[in-house]
Amino acid sequence: MQHHKTLIFSAIMLSASSAIASAWEHENERGVDLYRATDGNIVVSLVCDPNTVYGTTESAVLLEAGGDPDLSAKVSFSFPDGNTVNAELVHGRFGKATANPVEWETLVEGFRIHQTVTVSRGEAAVDVELGEPMPFTCL
């Protein structure tokens, strides 16, 4: 079953690499900042709760691959400066509340300063164009 999931993820990642990326989109909803970058079939979202309106558990990175926002898997986020964060996605979510604080800060800082991130799962990897970096409000 795991091999089957890896093959599906690989196919999604390959089809995503040929599409044009858009820049980060930002909106504020009920005191929470929502950032979203789409590159083909890959969507990377960052949910920030800078004023702890809902507590620190709301800050998270969300990953959607091929329209599936419910991906539960181990993935890696690698940035051009060589920093890599290994994350366990649970239903497409890697949350600050459960993350190692150093890994969380490395991930958010990577998004703040880089225009691309490589997302990997097993042998499958794709470069995701994020657009211009933004001063995200995540703490």
Side-chain angles (χ1 to χ4, degrees):
M1 183 68 169
Q2 184 65 16
H3 179 70
H4 179 69
K5 287 182 179 178
T6 300
L7 287 175
I8 292 170
F9 188 76
S10 296
I12 292 168
M13 298 295 248
L14 286 173
S15 67
S17 64
S18 63
I20 298 173
S22 64
W24 285 104
E25 297 173 9
H26 173 253
E27 63 182 86
N28 185 284
E29 187 174 307
R30 295 181 156 181
V32 175
D33 287 311
L34 307 170
Y35 304 91
R36 181 180 168 118
T38 303
D39 188 353
N41 291 326
I42 303 292
V43 179
V44 177
S45 300
L46 190 55
V47 179
C48 301
D49 186 6
N51 300 314
T52 59
V53 173
Y54 299 98
T56 59
T57 58
E58 288 303 310
S59 294
V61 171
L62 308 175
L63 183 68
E64 184 177 322
D68 180 10
D70 198 35
L71 180 66
S72 294
K74 291 181 182 181
V75 299
S76 296
F77 296 92
S78 301
F79 296 97
D81 62 6
N83 283 329
T84 297
V85 173
N86 297 312
E88 180 76 34
L89 295 180
V90 177
H91 301 292
R93 184 178 193 276
F94 178 65
K96 177 181 179 179
T98 58
N100 171 301
V102 172
E103 289 180 343
W104 176 257
E105 184 56 37
T106 300
L107 187 58
V108 173
E109 188 63 22
F111 289 137
R112 281 187 181 121
I113 62 175
H114 296 290
Q115 294 184 352
T116 62
V117 62
T118 300
V119 180
S120 307
R121 178 175 177 221
E123 299 294 318
V126 66
D127 292 330
V128 179
E129 295 291 331
L130 303 171
E132 290 296 317
M134 291 187 70
F136 301 110
T137 59
C138 287
L139 304 175

